[in-house]
Amino acid sequence: MESNIIIRQYKKEDVKSMVPIWNQVVEEGVAFPQLETLSTAGGRRFFEGQSYCGVAEDETGRIVGMYILHPNNIGRCGHISNASYAVDRNCRGRHVGELLVRDCIRQAGELGFRILQFNAVVESNTAANNLYEKLGFTKAGTIPGGFRMDDGSYEDIFIYYIKTGRGMKGDGPERTSSRSYSGIYSESTQVECKDAGNVLSVKSVLDKVHKVRGNIREDRECTYLLFEPRNDDCTISAAIRLKSVDAGTDKQGIAIGQFDAVEGMPVHCDVLHGQKNCVFQHTFSTASGMGANGNPKSAAIDKDSFTGTTYRMMYSKCNNIATLQVWDAMGRKLILEDDNTFDLTQTYETLQSGRSVRYGIALAGVEADIARLTLKDASGSVIYNQDDYYKPDCEPPAVTKITKAGESSDRRRIELGWEAETCDGYCEYDVEVSYNNEAYINVGTAATTAFAYTPENSGDYTFRVYGRIGNEVNKSSYAQSEAVHYIRPLDDASLTAIGSADGIDISLKLTDDAYEWKVFRADTCNVCGDNDVLMGTFTGKDAKKDADGESVVSFTDKSCGYDPLYYYVISYSEDNCSNPGEPQQALRISDRAEAVYAVNDRQVEMVVDDKSNDTLGAHYFYITGHYNTDGRYKVLVNGRDAAEALDGFTHGERDCEGCIACGAGESIRIEGYPAKGFNKIEVIFESVTGSRSRKVFNFLCMPYYNCVVDASYKGAQGALDASGIPQYSRISDALVHGMPGDGDVIFVKNGVYRERVVVERADVSIIGEDAKKTRIEFNACVADGTAAGMRDRNAMLVEYTATGFSMCNISIENTYPYADGTDQQADALAILADNVSVTNITLLGYQDTLFVDAADKDDFSPDITTHQHFSYCHIEGNVDFIYGCGAAIFDDCDIIGRYTPYKADGCFTAPRTHADAEYGFIFRNCRFYADDRIETGAYRLARPWGRDAAAFFINCYMSDVVCDNGYSDMSGNSYKNARFAEYGSVGEGVAVNNDRPLLRRSQAEHCMEII
């Protein structure tokens, strides 16, 4: 193929070069039906009247060929196009015509034509006939004597056609896009489909300048390669080499599976989806329209090798069960076979068995090579095989020698490596094995010069490797390994480790294929280290029968401390052993197993009858209230006994512990003269039954400010009060027109401010008069059209320019009424700035209440980490409601799951921490609980929005709303690979298991140093 020829749309100045080339073909009289040649003026009018004209330009800028494209018919046949091609006679033989036809097919599809038809291809024009058949055109018929030659004879003409959207040869899939279905498809989206030997190269480039994002599960900005509709169950598979994956969103990528694609309606899908987080996952449409993803899925793949590697993707549908699998280049399955199916009755109804669907591929924001695309019916009969139409430019490679054949380090596989001749096309290698000199059988295919084989039994294994391209295998030039003597590891014994007050209780179930078992203890989950401790060696004589007749060894490790430990077992026979078993995390129970203070429905709540505002204009505060049960209380001020720390503190008779007795319903008054600045007042109550609860008040005494906002103010905006301070009725006006330069301190009086607040200047402070009485309320959500995206779907935004911002004593609520549908994210507060401090605020939302992230003027999450500190805050939501890439510390905060009838479960946090950030979210002395209407175990502590997500929970109360495994996957990221961990958790939601990693004391102390 001539690589230095470019095809482009014609320009007016090209006409003088196009007319002579056109006239050459007319005058030759063997291809065009026209008799009259074109003049320059006539050519200009002629070419302007076409739907599209393309020209071929060589390396010198000379026009060497051209084509015209226009409708072949009108009305109900107006979707059929027709074209004519002309190549300069001096440039023929350089494949210019092929380049022109390929470009014409693509342009016809882009213009909305569904078919390109040639009405009169002369039989003797063998070059044209061969080219059209090579490119996959179908010959529809022959018109005898349809063309009159110059000598007066008549020659047959052929009719050819091809579907213009078809991205592949033969009876392959049709190329379409979201433009035909949901209609959400940007004009700036660029798509290329090019044949390259036995490969189809595809490229979908989304417009980053205008922040175009693809979404396969919601049919946004997608390009499709779809087979004709079918109502039978099928299996589709392909070898996919990912060249690049756009980092825009995890909803983009490449997917293979089934699609309900009806023109004018959004596409619904059930697919195996590869995406930017280096994972292959199940993605499917739901009745709500939002779509979902999750299991089956692969583990996360190393991001340095995710692109540039070939994967074989397979989606199979049978009796409403979808089976998904992906193999890496070495032939290893990346999805566990016990977890690679999905019940299609849980997905969109039109995708279930018996319904008409289109199998195929979807892509958005990726560049990839597709090879070996195959569609088979339920019986295994081939419907389409790409190898029948895409022929390689070379022979299958010869395998020259085996370079590696031996056990893997974990003894679970035999690993092979080999050398082979180079190959220009997409090639694979068939691997055969002989077990104990029996006949060779095929055990897999590799897309690289390495393979991993998992034997079922011990014995001798010999391997042969053959080169393959498509359907052709090089059987004459293969390589054979020496015999590998393989010994399969013994089965793992079952071990449990459970903490108690006395130590760690160990229970070991013995296996039949071993005679001795050794139990080890490790300080980390990375076992078999030099510091691991042998806890004991056991035989069957040490075992007792349990209720099920199993042989069990039990003992208690009393030498453990209060740091988390990991226990594992290795089984031994006379000539073999097992691999180390999966380490079991355990923690000795300490006296912190129960919360120091009762929380939520177990606490005796102090009823506050009246109190000072949180921001004190005078050097004095008071609190009045009562308890509904008998007991005693104590007051602390900034951690010290109020009698010592607070001037003017009056109290009744105190006992030896400094507590004051009170009866049920008895009025309590706490008052005094606090120090200037922040004062934390804690009222500790102990009931007669011994239950203890804690109520915290935060008072800011006599702060400085240089601007006042009062919702009831009616005067001129910015007018000075008697003290010379400007006054406003809106917070936004004060931020824009307040004191000149950075450094404003804005005092906001009690009231409801129904406005969206945006802070853009550095070193600004906002002080509310009272956290409950000073309220910002604003409705902003994409779902109802009040916001356009993440930047403005919030009630308050602290922009990336507002470094050093601080805020206290105020409530912020996004009042969007959460519903059952898409785009329900509605932030109360979004912080994109660094060095932000927030104290004693209330945030109310549902999905995505608090966003802490980084940004520049154009986009979110540049490669920087912003820092925020939240103290004594109250944050409510239900779905990922504390999220982002910020390094945020939460100190003594209440994190509360908010009830909605539309969602029964929820997740407190969703960090997407940068890989180089030391920490993401740290919660210290916080309380995690939920509305009483939310079921036990319905909430997760965190899920990883980013693959390097980090969240630490230190000395926090976990109510019974926290589920036992604590975490879940998100956006293709596994929680097991995230940096999630706890230390010192208390409450009913505490669980010690392998799903909830624990910090050691030294690690927790390091986090405290950060705080």
Side-chain angles (χ1 to χ4, degrees):
M1 187 82 60
E2 191 75 20
S3 60
N4 54 0
I5 300 292
I6 64 169
I7 310 298
R8 59 170 175 81
Q9 188 171 12
Y10 96 106
K11 304 172 185 176
K12 289 183 179 180
E13 55 266 31
D14 297 328
V15 171
K16 61 183 179 181
S17 299
M18 296 165 64
V19 167
I21 296 173
W22 177 271
N23 288 341
Q24 285 177 13
V25 180
V26 172
E27 291 168 350
E28 288 168 354
V30 294
F32 285 179
Q34 288 90 345
L35 295 173
E36 302 294 330
T37 58
L38 294 173
S39 64
T40 301
R44 183 174 294 109
R45 292 191 299 271
F46 180 64
F47 297 136
E48 286 178 351
Q50 305 299 319
S51 300
Y52 187 92
C53 290
V55 296
E57 182 180 276
D58 70 7
E59 64 276 13
T60 68
R62 184 167 65 101
I63 304 300
V64 296
M66 53 156 297
Y67 72 84
I68 60 172
L69 176 66
H70 48 255
N72 191 60
N73 214 315
I74 62 172
R76 299 186 187 278
C77 296
H79 58 283
I80 303 174
S81 61
N82 177 254
S84 299
Y85 309 89
V87 177
D88 188 325
R89 62 167 61 97
N90 296 318
C91 298
R92 294 171 188 171
R94 296 174 62 185
H95 299 284
V96 176
E98 181 173 345
L99 293 172
L100 289 168
V101 177
R102 288 182 183 277
D103 188 74
C104 180
I105 295 171
R106 282 191 288 271
Q107 295 299 339
E110 293 297 327
L111 291 172
F113 293 113
R114 297 177 63 86
I115 297 170
L116 175 60
Q117 178 175 316
F118 302 147
N119 301 319
V121 183
V122 181
E123 182 179 17
S124 61
N125 190 353
T126 55
N129 283 283
N130 291 339
L131 172 59
Y132 300 150
E133 292 179 13
K134 172 186 176 181
L135 295 180
F137 281 78
T138 299
K139 185 187 292 185
T142 303
I143 300 178
F147 191 90
R148 178 168 57 83
M149 306 295 286
D150 279 349
D151 61 5
S153 63
Y154 291 88
E155 191 165 332
D156 294 351
I157 56 174
F158 302 138
I159 300 173
Y160 284 96
Y161 74 91
I162 192 170
K163 291 186 177 180
T164 58
R166 193 168 301 284
M168 306 192 71
K169 302 175 187 176
D171 194 21
E174 177 187 10
R175 176 180 149 194
T176 63
S177 71
S178 297
R179 181 186 288 118
S180 300
Y181 305 112
S182 68
I184 303 174
Y185 195 78
S186 172
E187 294 295 331
S188 58
T189 296
Q190 301 176 27
V191 177
E192 295 180 3
C193 292
K194 295 182 179 179
D195 301 338
N198 60 341
V199 170
L200 175 70
S201 292
V202 296
K203 186 176 183 180
S204 166
V205 180
L206 304 179
D207 186 349
K208 294 182 180 179
V209 174
H210 296 94
K211 301 180 183 179
V212 174
R213 298 287 186 263
N215 188 325
I216 290 174
R217 69 193 195 190
E218 295 181 19
D219 185 26
R220 298 169 181 258
E221 305 295 340
C222 293
T223 297
Y224 298 102
L225 296 171
L226 301 179
F227 288 98
E228 292 296 322
R230 307 179 63 88
N231 59 8
D232 57 339
D233 292 346
C234 291
T235 297
I236 183 170
S237 63
I240 307 290
R241 180 175 179 266
L242 292 172
K243 294 180 177 179
S244 66
V245 180
D246 192 307
T249 168
D250 55 27
K251 297 178 179 64
Q252 299 174 173
I254 190 164
I256 187 169
Q258 57 163 332
F259 302 83
D260 173 24
V262 178
E263 195 164 323
M265 302 288 289
V267 171
H268 301 109
C269 68
D270 191 82
V271 294
L272 174 62
H273 176 199
Q275 45 101 330
K276 70 163 190 174
N277 291 319
C278 307
V279 71
F280 292 91
Q281 66 187 25
H282 180 221
T283 291
F284 57 98
S285 300
T286 59
S288 69
M290 292 180 63
N293 61 62
N295 291 328
K297 68 180 174 185
S298 70
I301 300 165
D302 183 76
K303 55 187 172 184
D304 293 330
S305 61
F306 185 63
T307 54
T309 299
T310 298
Y311 302 92
R312 185 156 63 93
M313 301 172 65
M314 185 274 291
Y315 178 97
S316 183
K317 174 181 172 184
C318 182
N319 296 326
N320 268 340
I321 298 297
T323 302
L324 290 73
Q325 190 53 269
V326 58
W327 293 261
D328 67 8
M330 293 177 62
R332 294 173 295 195
K333 293 179 179 178
L334 301 185
I335 300 178
L336 297 176
E337 288 195 337
D338 293 339
D339 191 30
N340 71 333
T341 60
F342 182 80
D343 183 355
L344 289 173
T345 61
Q346 301 178 47
T347 189
Y348 210 78
E349 182 179 358
T350 57
L351 296 168
Q352 297 173 19
S353 290
R355 305 300 293 266
S356 178
V357 299
R358 302 183 72 175
Y359 295 91
I361 293 173
L363 55 141
V366 297
E367 182 178 4
D369 288 340
I370 300 174
R372 309 215 69 191
L373 175 63
T374 305
L375 182 67
K376 297 180 180 180
D377 65 17
S379 69
S381 297
V382 175
I383 301 166
Y384 176 82
N385 185 347
Q386 181 179 350
D387 293 328
D388 292 337
Y389 304 95
Y390 284 70
K391 301 302 180 182
D393 297 326
C394 61
E395 299 296 320
V399 181
T400 55
K401 68 175 180 179
I402 301 293
T403 58
K404 177 182 181 181
E407 287 184 353
S408 60
S409 58
D410 62 3
R411 300 193 302 143
R412 297 188 185 279
R413 296 175 300 277
I414 296 176
E415 295 179 343
L416 295 176
W418 57 87
E419 293 180 357
E421 295 177 346
T422 58
C423 175
D424 292 333
Y426 172 75
C427 65
E428 296 176 327
Y429 301 91
D430 286 352
V431 180
E432 295 182 348
V433 65
S434 169
Y435 171 62
N436 288 342
N437 293 320
E438 295 177 358
Y440 281 91
I441 59 172
N442 187 287
V443 290
T445 301
T448 185
T449 55
F451 185 78
Y453 175 67
T454 303
E456 294 183 359
N457 302 296
S458 300
D460 293 328
Y461 292 85
T462 307
F463 298 88
R464 287 178 178 172
V465 183
Y466 305 86
R468 166 191 286 276
I469 288 186
N471 299 323
E472 186 178 353
V473 180
N474 188 344
K475 286 285 188 178
S476 61
S477 299
Y478 65 87
Q480 180 173 311
S481 74
E482 298 291 332
V484 178
H485 184 65
Y486 173 76
I487 299 177
R488 185 177 180 275
L490 299 179
D491 293 335
D492 294 341
S494 173
L495 180 145
T496 59
I498 300 174
S500 66
D502 295 330
I504 307 297
D505 298 329
I506 307 297
S507 178
L508 171 66
K509 284 188 178 182
L510 307 186
T511 53
D512 294 334
D513 58 352
Y515 73 88
E516 183 178 86
W517 295 264
K518 293 184 178 181
V519 177
F520 296 86
R521 186 182 75 195
D523 291 337
T524 72
C525 59
N526 298 316
V527 298
C528 297
D530 294 338
N531 296 323
D532 291 3
V533 178
L534 176 63
M535 302 305 300
T537 300
F538 306 96
T539 67
K541 296 179 181 179
D542 302 305
K544 294 182 180 180
K545 297 291 184 181
D546 64 7
D548 298 324
E550 302 275 0
S551 297
V552 178
V553 173
S554 300
F555 67 97
T556 299
D557 175 14
K558 297 185 178 181
S559 64
C560 61
Y562 290 96
D563 270 335
L565 296 167
Y566 300 83
Y567 296 82
Y568 64 97
V569 61
I570 300 177
S571 306
Y572 295 87
S573 66
E574 291 184 2
D575 57 357
N576 198 5
C577 66
S578 69
N579 288 320
E582 181 183 1
Q584 301 299 306
Q585 180 180 240
L587 182 70
R588 187 172 188 170
I589 295 176
S590 71
D591 55 7
R592 288 198 80 250
E594 291 298 324
V596 175
Y597 303 114
V599 177
N600 204 13
D601 57 352
R602 296 192 303 130
Q603 74 179 15
V604 180
E605 178 75 24
M606 178 183 184
V607 180
V608 178
D609 298 318
D610 195 13
K611 61 179 278 293
S612 300
N613 288 319
D614 295 332
T615 300
L616 304 173
H619 189 58
Y620 171 78
F621 82 94
Y622 71 91
I623 304 167
T624 62
H626 65 275
Y627 290 94
N628 290 324
T629 188
D630 295 342
R632 60 179 187 161
Y633 70 94
K634 183 176 184 177
V635 181
L636 302 178
V637 178
N638 298 324
R640 297 171 56 202
D641 190 316
E644 302 172 359
L646 185 65
D647 291 340
F649 176 63
T650 57
H651 52 81
E653 185 177 349
R654 304 195 328 152
D655 60 23
C656 61
E657 296 180 356
C659 297
I660 305 166
C662 62
E666 179 182 342
S667 180
I668 297 169
R669 185 175 180 89
I670 301 166
E671 59 184 339
Y673 304 99
K676 189 173 182 179
F678 276 107
N679 293 267
K680 181 172 76 170
I681 312 297
E682 298 174 84
V683 183
I684 312 298
F685 177 78
E686 183 177 342
S687 71
V688 292
T689 60
S691 175
R692 304 181 75 199
S693 63
R694 170 176 173 260
K695 185 75 172 180
V696 179
F697 303 87
N698 286 278
F699 293 108
L700 176 58
C701 183
M702 301 179 67
Y704 163 83
Y705 54 87
N706 56 14
C707 189
V708 173
V709 179
D710 185 346
S712 63
Y713 176 67
K714 304 300 183 182
Q717 300 299 303
L720 303 183
D721 66 8
S723 302
I725 296 176
Q727 305 171 86
Y728 297 90
S729 61
R730 286 167 43 86
I731 302 171
S732 299
D733 291 337
L735 287 166
V736 174
H737 303 294
M739 300 299 288
D742 296 333
D744 276 4
V745 180
I746 302 171
F747 177 53
V748 183
K749 291 189 175 182
N750 290 340
V752 178
Y753 298 84
R754 294 184 174 89
E755 57 178 305
R756 180 170 178 262
V757 176
V758 178
V759 184
E760 295 181 318
R761 288 185 292 140
D763 300 318
V764 170
S765 297
I766 294 178
I767 301 172
E769 189 171 7
D770 190 88
K772 289 188 176 180
K773 302 173 187 174
T774 309
R775 299 178 57 84
I776 297 172
E777 296 180 357
F778 192 77
N779 182 119
C781 187
V782 172
D784 66 357
T786 54
M790 292 181 68
R791 201 81 169 215
D792 65 349
R793 68 184 192 199
N794 41 65
M796 181 171 179
L797 171 65
V798 181
E799 269 289 8
Y800 72 100
T801 52
T803 304
F805 174 75
S806 66
M807 176 169 57
C808 66
N809 300 347
I810 201 165
S811 290
I812 306 169
E813 180 177 6
N814 192 322
T815 56
Y816 170 73
Y818 186 83
D820 184 16
T822 60
D823 297 321
Q824 296 296 302
Q825 300 92 337
D827 304 6
L829 174 63
I831 301 176
L832 307 178
D834 193 25
N835 193 25
V836 172
S837 176
V838 179
T839 305
N840 192 35
I841 68 166
T842 295
L843 299 175
L844 299 176
Y846 286 98
Q847 184 171 354
D848 297 1
T849 304
L850 172 61
F851 184 34
V852 285
D853 213 86
D856 54 28
K857 65 183 179 64
D858 296 319
D859 210 348
F860 289 100
S861 289
D863 294 329
I864 61 172
T865 297
T866 57
H867 302 78
Q868 301 84 24
H869 196 290
F870 297 82
S871 302
Y872 320 122
C873 295
H874 179 107
I875 306 171
E876 292 190 26
N878 74 329
V879 181
D880 307 328
F881 61 92
I882 300 175
Y883 73 110
C885 72
I889 294 168
F890 298 83
D891 208 354
D892 205 355
C893 296
D894 288 280
I895 317 297
I896 305 165
R898 194 175 185 187
Y899 174 77
T900 168
Y902 303 110
K903 191 167 180 59
D905 62 348
C907 185
F908 290 109
T909 71
R912 63 169 175 186
T913 318
H914 293 314
D916 59 355
E918 183 179 7
Y919 67 96
F921 298 163
I922 298 179
F923 296 88
R924 183 182 72 164
N925 298 329
C926 293
R927 294 155 294 281
F928 291 82
Y929 54 100
D931 186 293
D932 292 341
R933 291 169 290 181
I934 295 176
E935 297 290 332
T936 298
Y939 268 62
R940 293 141 289 170
L941 290 172
R943 56 181 191 155
W945 187 19
R947 63 181 295 150
D948 299 298
F952 301 144
F953 305 85
I954 300 173
N955 295 338
C956 291
Y957 167 78
M958 308 292 183
S959 78
D960 62 5
V961 76
V962 178
C963 61
D964 284 347
N965 62 338
Y967 310 104
S968 66
D969 300 338
M970 181 181 183
S971 300
N973 302 307
S974 171
Y975 72 88
K976 290 183 176 293
N977 298 327
R979 293 177 285 173
F980 294 159
E982 300 171 65
Y983 177 84
S985 296
V986 297
E988 308 87 342
V990 172
V992 179
N993 54 51
N994 282 8
D995 289 315
R996 290 173 68 167
L998 299 171
L999 294 172
R1000 299 180 67 78
R1001 181 174 181 176
S1002 59
Q1003 294 170 313
E1005 288 175 345
H1006 178 65
C1007 290
M1008 302 292 236
E1009 291 173 3
I1010 294 173
I1011 296 175

